[in-house]
PDB file of all heavy atoms in Angstrom:
ATOM      1  N   GLN B   6       0.064 -39.825  36.731  1.00 98.00           N
ATOM      2  CA  GLN B   6       0.692 -40.982  37.644  1.00 98.00           C
ATOM      3  C   GLN B   6       1.993 -40.432  37.896  1.00 98.00           C
ATOM      4  O   GLN B   6       2.951 -40.440  37.134  1.00 98.00           O
ATOM      5  CB  GLN B   6       0.751 -42.309  36.737  1.00 98.00           C
ATOM      6  CG  GLN B   6      -0.605 -42.890  36.378  1.00 98.00           C
ATOM      7  CD  GLN B   6      -0.457 -44.159  35.631  1.00 98.00           C
ATOM      8  OE1 GLN B   6      -0.676 -44.254  34.374  1.00 98.00           O
ATOM      9  NE2 GLN B   6      -0.127 -45.184  36.346  1.00 98.00           N
ATOM     10  N   ALA B   7       2.116 -39.896  39.119  1.00 96.00           N
ATOM     11  CA  ALA B   7       3.282 -39.206  39.574  1.00 96.00           C
ATOM     12  C   ALA B   7       4.533 -40.087  39.732  1.00 96.00           C
ATOM     13  O   ALA B   7       5.671 -39.635  39.581  1.00 96.00           O
ATOM     14  CB  ALA B   7       2.969 -38.365  40.834  1.00 96.00           C
ATOM     15  N   GLN B   8       4.269 -41.209  40.029  1.00 97.00           N
ATOM     16  CA  GLN B   8       5.379 -42.190  40.280  1.00 97.00           C
ATOM     17  C   GLN B   8       5.832 -42.821  39.014  1.00 97.00           C
ATOM     18  O   GLN B   8       5.183 -43.514  38.273  1.00 97.00           O
ATOM     19  CB  GLN B   8       4.878 -43.349  41.233  1.00 97.00           C
ATOM     20  CG  GLN B   8       4.369 -42.893  42.554  1.00 97.00           C
ATOM     21  CD  GLN B   8       3.276 -43.987  43.008  1.00 97.00           C
ATOM     22  OE1 GLN B   8       2.364 -44.359  42.251  1.00 97.00           O
ATOM     23  NE2 GLN B   8       3.500 -44.450  44.252  1.00 97.00           N
ATOM     24  N   THR B   9       7.084 -42.478  38.644  1.00 96.00           N
ATOM     25  CA  THR B   9       7.629 -42.997  37.402  1.00 96.00           C
ATOM     26  C   THR B   9       8.096 -44.439  37.513  1.00 96.00           C
ATOM     27  O   THR B   9       7.745 -45.203  36.603  1.00 96.00           O
ATOM     28  CB  THR B   9       8.837 -42.121  36.892  1.00 96.00           C
ATOM     29  OG1 THR B   9       8.371 -40.783  36.871  1.00 96.00           O
ATOM     30  CG2 THR B   9       9.286 -42.481  35.526  1.00 96.00           C
ATOM     31  N   GLU B  10       8.723 -44.640  38.639  1.00 97.00           N
ATOM     32  CA  GLU B  10       9.281 -45.975  38.822  1.00 97.00           C
ATOM     33  C   GLU B  10       9.289 -46.379  40.245  1.00 97.00           C
ATOM     34  O   GLU B  10       9.653 -45.483  41.090  1.00 97.00           O
ATOM     35  CB  GLU B  10      10.650 -46.052  38.227  1.00 97.00           C
ATOM     36  CG  GLU B  10      11.290 -47.464  38.198  1.00 97.00           C
ATOM     37  CD  GLU B  10      12.467 -47.697  37.293  1.00 97.00           C
ATOM     38  OE1 GLU B  10      12.680 -46.791  36.364  1.00 97.00           O
ATOM     39  OE2 GLU B  10      13.223 -48.631  37.450  1.00 97.00           O
ATOM     40  N   ILE B  11       8.931 -47.572  40.584  1.00 97.00           N
ATOM     41  CA  ILE B  11       8.864 -48.060  41.915  1.00 97.00           C
ATOM     42  C   ILE B  11       9.602 -49.418  41.944  1.00 97.00           C
ATOM     43  O   ILE B  11       9.364 -50.287  41.065  1.00 97.00           O
ATOM     44  CB  ILE B  11       7.396 -48.287  42.492  1.00 97.00           C
ATOM     45  CG1 ILE B  11       6.677 -46.989  42.461  1.00 97.00           C
ATOM     46  CG2 ILE B  11       7.546 -48.931  43.903  1.00 97.00           C
ATOM     47  CD1 ILE B  11       5.220 -47.133  42.884  1.00 97.00           C
ATOM     48  N   SER B  12      10.570 -49.573  42.913  1.00 97.00           N
ATOM     49  CA  SER B  12      11.170 -50.860  43.085  1.00 97.00           C
ATOM     50  C   SER B  12      10.895 -51.449  44.500  1.00 97.00           C
ATOM     51  O   SER B  12      10.930 -50.714  45.465  1.00 97.00           O
ATOM     52  CB  SER B  12      12.686 -50.725  42.944  1.00 97.00           C
ATOM     53  OG  SER B  12      13.052 -50.299  41.583  1.00 97.00           O
ATOM     54  N   VAL B  13      10.585 -52.648  44.449  1.00 97.00           N
ATOM     55  CA  VAL B  13      10.249 -53.328  45.828  1.00 97.00           C
ATOM     56  C   VAL B  13      10.797 -54.694  45.753  1.00 97.00           C
ATOM     57  O   VAL B  13      11.229 -55.252  44.815  1.00 97.00           O
ATOM     58  CB  VAL B  13       8.671 -53.495  46.080  1.00 97.00           C
ATOM     59  CG1 VAL B  13       8.082 -52.104  46.169  1.00 97.00           C
ATOM     60  CG2 VAL B  13       8.032 -54.272  44.999  1.00 97.00           C
ATOM     61  N   VAL B  14      10.895 -55.327  46.969  1.00 97.00           N
ATOM     62  CA  VAL B  14      11.386 -56.660  47.069  1.00 97.00           C
ATOM     63  C   VAL B  14      10.140 -57.560  47.233  1.00 97.00           C
ATOM     64  O   VAL B  14       9.205 -57.154  47.710  1.00 97.00           O
ATOM     65  CB  VAL B  14      12.306 -56.803  48.333  1.00 97.00           C
ATOM     66  CG1 VAL B  14      12.756 -58.217  48.490  1.00 97.00           C
ATOM     67  CG2 VAL B  14      13.553 -55.900  48.242  1.00 97.00           C
ATOM     68  N   GLU B  15      10.276 -58.686  46.658  1.00 97.00           N
ATOM     69  CA  GLU B  15       9.100 -59.698  46.664  1.00 97.00           C
ATOM     70  C   GLU B  15       8.509 -59.728  48.006  1.00 97.00           C
ATOM     71  O   GLU B  15       9.121 -59.677  49.063  1.00 97.00           O
ATOM     72  CB  GLU B  15       9.633 -61.048  46.305  1.00 97.00           C
ATOM     73  CG  GLU B  15       8.692 -61.767  45.358  1.00 97.00           C
ATOM     74  CD  GLU B  15       9.327 -63.121  44.862  1.00 97.00           C
ATOM     75  OE1 GLU B  15      10.422 -63.458  45.315  1.00 97.00           O
ATOM     76  OE2 GLU B  15       8.728 -63.746  44.007  1.00 97.00           O
ATOM     77  N   LYS B  16       7.192 -59.876  48.083  1.00 97.00           N
ATOM     78  CA  LYS B  16       6.362 -59.957  49.189  1.00 97.00           C
ATOM     79  C   LYS B  16       6.037 -58.586  49.857  1.00 97.00           C
ATOM     80  O   LYS B  16       5.185 -58.540  50.815  1.00 97.00           O
ATOM     81  CB  LYS B  16       6.937 -60.875  50.294  1.00 97.00           C
ATOM     82  CG  LYS B  16       7.004 -62.367  49.770  1.00 97.00           C
ATOM     83  CD  LYS B  16       7.454 -63.263  50.863  1.00 97.00           C
ATOM     84  CE  LYS B  16       7.696 -64.719  50.345  1.00 97.00           C
ATOM     85  NZ  LYS B  16       8.297 -65.571  51.284  1.00 97.00           N
ATOM     86  N   GLU B  17       6.612 -57.575  49.390  1.00 97.00           N
ATOM     87  CA  GLU B  17       6.155 -56.290  49.892  1.00 97.00           C
ATOM     88  C   GLU B  17       4.895 -55.873  49.304  1.00 97.00           C
ATOM     89  O   GLU B  17       4.630 -56.209  48.146  1.00 97.00           O
ATOM     90  CB  GLU B  17       7.279 -55.180  49.542  1.00 97.00           C
ATOM     91  CG  GLU B  17       8.518 -55.240  50.401  1.00 97.00           C
ATOM     92  CD  GLU B  17       9.422 -53.983  50.046  1.00 97.00           C
ATOM     93  OE1 GLU B  17       8.925 -52.908  49.753  1.00 97.00           O
ATOM     94  OE2 GLU B  17      10.679 -54.251  50.126  1.00 97.00           O
ATOM     95  N   ASP B  18       4.134 -55.090  49.973  1.00 97.00           N
ATOM     96  CA  ASP B  18       2.938 -54.454  49.377  1.00 97.00           C
ATOM     97  C   ASP B  18       3.379 -53.154  48.722  1.00 97.00           C
ATOM     98  O   ASP B  18       4.238 -52.375  49.145  1.00 97.00           O
ATOM     99  CB  ASP B  18       1.974 -54.064  50.513  1.00 97.00           C
ATOM    100  CG  ASP B  18       1.475 -55.237  51.259  1.00 97.00           C
ATOM    101  OD1 ASP B  18       1.695 -56.435  50.838  1.00 97.00           O
ATOM    102  OD2 ASP B  18       0.887 -55.071  52.331  1.00 97.00           O
TER     103      ASP B  18
END
Side-chain angles (χ1 to χ4, degrees):
Chain B
Q6 295 180 256
Q8 304 152 307
T9 305
E10 188 162 341
I11 300 175
S12 295
V13 298
V14 177
E15 222 173 5
K16 297 184 183 176
E17 282 187 35
D18 299 346

